[in-house]
Amino acid sequence: MADRLARPRHLSVKRVISKSTRSVAGQVLIFQVALVVLLVACGVFALILQSERDSAAEARRRSTAVAQTFAHSPGVLAALRAPDPSRILQPLTEEARRSAGVDFIVVMDTNGIRYTHPLPDRIGKQFVGEIAPSLEGKVFVESVDGPLGREVQATVPIKNAGDEVVGLVSAGMKVKNVEGQLHRQLPIILGAGAGALALSTGVTALAGRRLRRQTHSLAPDEMTLMYEHHDTVLHSVREGVLIVAADGRLMLANDEARRLLELPPDAEGRLVSELPGLHPETRALLASGREATDEVHIAGERLLAINQRPTEHRGGTRDTVVTLRDSTELQAVTGRAEVARERLGLLYDAGLHIGTTLDVLRTADELARVPVPRFADFVTVDLADTVLHGDEPAPAATDMRRAAVCGIQDDHPLSEQGRLFDYVPSTPQARGYGSGHSQLVSDLPSATGWRLQDPERAQAIIDFGIHSLITAPIRARGVVLGMASFWRGRQHEPFNEEDLSLAEELVARAAISIDNARRYTREHALAVTLQQSLLPQAMPEQNALDIAYRYLPAQAGVGGDWFDVIPMPGSRVALAVGDVVGHGLHAAATMGRLRTAVHNFSALDLPPDELLSHLDDLVGKIDQNETAETAAGVVGATCLYGIYDPVTRRYVVARAGHLVPALVHPDGSVTFPEVPAGPPLGLGGMPFQTAELCLAEGTQLVLYTDGLIEDRTRDLDVGMELLRDALTGHPGRPPEETCQDVLDNLLPGRPKDDVALLVARTRELPPDRVADWDVPPDPAAVSGMREAVSQRLDAWGLSEFGFAMELILSELITNAIRYGAGPIHVRLIRDRTLICEVADGSSTSPHLRYAATTDEGGRGLFLVSQMAERWGTRYTPQGKVIWAEQALPEVMQQPVPGPADADTLLEGETADP
């Protein structure tokens, strides 16, 4: 047994113990290395001290030699006796300093006043140092803090022929320059020390290596420990260990290896090929000596994971170390873990890929695609038809729409997407829908209830190879929205109870997303319906403008953009466009409130600036009344409101934080008029101002919201220029084509924000359809006006309206003469209606009264209201205008063609007179 244990001691334990510092070889090596390091360090330190001392001595010697040489130089005594010694000596000292390699040479008088210095500003100042010894004729060397820093200097006397001291010379070097010489020597010193250390350490290592081979790096206690560990491996480790020699003999087998392989007691020393009970594949692996990692082999009823690695002994022989591990239970656990991992991965993917949008059909399609092919071969999703429209589902499985179908093949016999079903009660879908519980059909060919829905299709499904089914209710918030069916064919085993729980988990994750999409669909439909009901359904009939419009909702849903065309008295037309910040029901509802308010204020015939002021007050009150819990406020709403008069071709406009309109002139040029910018609605504090524009007939007014020109990828100015380019150069283009071309050029795709676009081409009411008179403030003038009006109506072919119009004018002119102020002006307009207007300089408003039987007056306006279709009052800067309208037959309501319509008239046709 001792022999067997001695052989493998070089396998692994030797490598560990050979590095131990407790061996003799290790301790000697450490001692020798420490001694060498100490000796080298001492030698380096001594060299540094010696170099430092030599450098200092050299500096003193050089300074003394330079000072003495200069003191005895010819011409020094003559220069000292000169009127300006510095002029002579300064160049000499500098030249001598550079050639001698010192930092300074200073010549001074006997009082220590400098004649020379490397720093010229120090000339004439007191020498820094001791001069008394030098005045006595001695050479004095010292270290001082001079003008150049810390200095080593030697001072030498200058004597005349009578041996009398007449001056002094001091030469020296800066201490840092002296130390610099030492520093330049340090690399050499340290390099020599490092070389000596490396050489000594190498020799020591060679000696230690020889000693280690001789002692095997082992100590007695380590030998004991090695055998104790070896015994533990043999008898205590719960993993089999084998050592097989290069010739195929089994050299070592621990107790666990004997148990796992059921080896006989005399197995060690025998050839592996002769051992009984080994599986042939296992025997071949052990005999081959090749590397193996976790190879699974059969040993009786066990599954063994075998690892095999070759190793080499000290003598050069090649053995093999084998480890065995019982993986029978591990394989079973691993299989179950792999299944669980796949299911968790499927659920994880479902969480990532189901519910990426708020679209019901898209979410159903995602539910159908995720399980294929990992869980099912085919998946169908049937939803209640009402769910697709955002409504609550029906209580029974009727009117079920196939929302999605997906499978591993496209030629499957399952019903196509979009088909409507009324599931019979015997089908798993109907049972699951009614009970809210999943249904498992493990053997479809033997089941009968599901065949009753469609026997021919059921047989085709069976013939196709589909053999099992799970149908799970799509249940969210206590309501069943539909059914998801999972079908398996030949590629999978039939569904079981564990598969049923996984299907329910998959459907449960998707159900919330489908319900969220359903709720969003309902809210979106409500918002769209609300917005469409609040926007103009059709353009009103009027002759002042040719109108075309476009409204495009944003990708995020409905918003607060709106527009309106409002007929006004006197053939005028009001154009409005606005924008409420935000999207959704709140923005749409706010837009409706603002549009209604504009209609109401325009009925009062207010100027644009006054209308915006009233609208601003209204928005401010809305913000005050709405709390943060119920609404987000309306701050940020904008509006542009203008009135066009076809008689005068005047366009009066004001804006509240909105973009300026674009004008396309008859020549095709485009301008953006200067309209004073007011603050957005709801801010208050700033009055609104109007701009009055005179427009040529055929001019196109282009009103729009910011969604048309603003974009994250471009600036506002860029969008304005794009709009200008889209409008320029098309003078005769109809408004409908203008709308479409603008959208095609500026919005090639679906916009990210709402877009409202309104294009209106102006018309001018011909002068022959307008008659006006100035009326003197005399009751006798009323009869003359009746006659003039009667003649005008006869000229227009409207004689049948003469009596009513004469009565209306008589009452209005009489009221203006009696209660108003001059000047009084009458205007008669023939448009879609017959309009008469009486203007005066008074701002008092008449009121309709119901006179009593005994009253002599108060019946005038009552008669006007009975005879006229409509009547009212509007105020002007000069006073007021009372107007009344009478309806005309439809044949007399046609507009007069403008210049843009001239080409459309057929030859020989004429406009309506």
Side-chain angles (χ1 to χ4, degrees), residues 548 550 700 726 730 732-744 759:
R550 293 289 189 276
Q700 290 192 12
H730 304 281
R733 183 170 55 183
E736 279 290 339
E737 295 183 10
T738 300
C739 285
Q740 192 59 46
D741 290 348
V742 167
L743 294 181
D744 292 342
V759 178

Side-chain angles (χ1 to χ4, degrees), residues 166-236:
V166 295
L168 301 174
V169 177
S170 178
M173 299 176 65
K174 292 185 287 187
V175 172
K176 66 178 182 180
N177 291 341
V178 177
E179 293 176 348
Q181 298 178 0
L182 173 62
H183 294 161
R184 288 190 292 271
Q185 297 175 1
L186 280 179
I188 300 175
I189 297 174
L190 295 178
L197 178 61
L199 180 61
S200 303
T201 304
V203 174
T204 304
L206 291 176
R209 182 180 179 183
R210 181 177 178 82
L211 182 61
R212 187 181 302 111
R213 285 200 303 266
Q214 293 176 349
T215 61
H216 298 288
S217 300
L218 295 175
D221 56 339
E222 292 173 337
M223 183 68 73
T224 302
L225 183 62
M226 183 186 67
Y227 280 107
E228 289 177 353
H229 291 173
H230 193 263
D231 189 66
T232 301
V233 172
L234 288 176
H235 305 294
S236 301

Side-chain angles (χ1 to χ4, degrees), residues 543-546 697-698 731-735 761-764 895-906 909 911:
N543 293 338
L545 298 167
D546 293 330
E697 186 177 10
R733 183 170 55 183
R761 183 170 60 187
T762 62
R763 289 178 175 271
E764 180 184 8
V896 175
D901 301 320
D903 296 337
T904 63
L905 292 175
L906 297 177
E909 290 186 344

Side-chain angles (χ1 to χ4, degrees), residues 106-110 131 134-135 155-158 165-170:
V106 177
V107 180
M108 70 198 85
D109 61 10
T110 56
I131 63 175
S134 299
L135 291 175
T155 306
V156 176
I158 302 175
V165 177
V166 295
L168 301 174
V169 177
S170 178

Side-chain angles (χ1 to χ4, degrees), residues 443-648:
D443 189 4
L444 279 176
S446 62
T448 57
W450 72 285
R451 294 173 178 264
L452 300 178
Q453 180 71 35
D454 189 345
E456 294 182 2
R457 188 176 296 274
Q459 187 60 44
I461 291 174
I462 294 174
D463 295 341
F464 190 76
I466 298 176
H467 53 70
S468 60
L469 165 69
I470 288 179
T471 178
I474 303 173
R475 186 184 184 94
R477 300 179 178 92
V479 178
V480 178
L481 307 176
M483 299 298 294
S485 300
F486 303 87
W487 311 78
R488 276 189 179 178
R490 300 184 182 93
Q491 286 79 5
H492 288 89
E493 295 293 327
F495 286 116
N496 53 36
E497 292 296 333
E498 292 185 359
D499 296 325
L500 183 65
S501 62
L502 178 58
E504 291 175 344
E505 181 67 21
L506 277 173
V507 174
R509 292 181 179 235
I512 297 297
S513 298
I514 292 177
D515 190 55
N516 289 338
R518 177 189 68 86
R519 290 170 176 262
Y520 172 78
T521 301
R522 181 182 60 187
E523 293 182 3
H524 182 72
L526 291 175
V528 170
T529 302
L530 174 62
Q531 186 185 44
Q532 291 178 349
S533 66
L534 294 175
L535 288 172
Q537 303 302 308
M539 289 294 99
E541 295 180 351
Q542 46 81 31
N543 293 338
L545 298 167
D546 293 330
I547 302 292
Y549 65 91
R550 293 289 189 276
Y551 175 79
L552 298 180
Q555 294 179 356
V558 298
D561 290 13
W562 57 278
F563 64 93
D564 218 333
V565 179
I566 307 171
M568 303 287 286
S571 297
R572 297 170 301 145
V573 177
L575 301 177
V577 64
D579 184 7
V580 177
V581 175
H583 297 87
L585 286 174
H586 181 264
T590 303
M591 175 268 289
R593 298 168 76 175
L594 295 182
R595 180 169 177 260
T596 302
V598 170
H599 267 271
N600 294 333
F601 291 142
S602 64
L604 301 176
D605 211 340
L606 297 175
D609 54 343
E610 294 186 20
L611 184 141
L612 290 182
S613 297
H614 287 291
L615 199 62
D616 181 66
D617 294 338
L618 174 64
V619 172
K621 292 178 181 179
I622 292 176
D623 284 338
Q624 292 176 2
N625 294 334
E626 291 182 343
T627 62
E629 291 79 7
T630 58
V634 195
V635 174
T638 64
C639 182
L640 184 143
Y641 180 82
I643 300 175
Y644 174 70
D645 188 347
V647 177
T648 63

Side-chain angles (χ1 to χ4, degrees), residues 696-743:
E697 186 177 10
T699 300
Q700 290 192 12
L701 282 166
V702 181
L703 281 63
Y704 51 92
T705 56
D706 56 0
L708 180 67
I709 60 175
E710 285 187 349
D711 192 85
R712 294 180 180 178
T713 61
R714 67 188 183 208
D715 294 335
L716 179 62
D717 294 340
V718 176
M720 297 288 282
E721 288 303 317
L722 291 176
L723 177 60
R724 184 193 299 273
D725 295 340
L727 295 173
T728 302
H730 304 281
R733 183 170 55 183
E736 279 290 339
E737 295 183 10
T738 300
C739 285
Q740 192 59 46
D741 290 348
V742 167
L743 294 181

Side-chain angles (χ1 to χ4, degrees), residues 35-52:
L35 181 60
V36 168
V37 170
L38 179 61
L39 291 176
V40 171
C42 291
V44 170
F45 181 69
L47 288 175
I48 291 174
L49 291 179
Q50 180 65 31
S51 178
E52 181 178 2

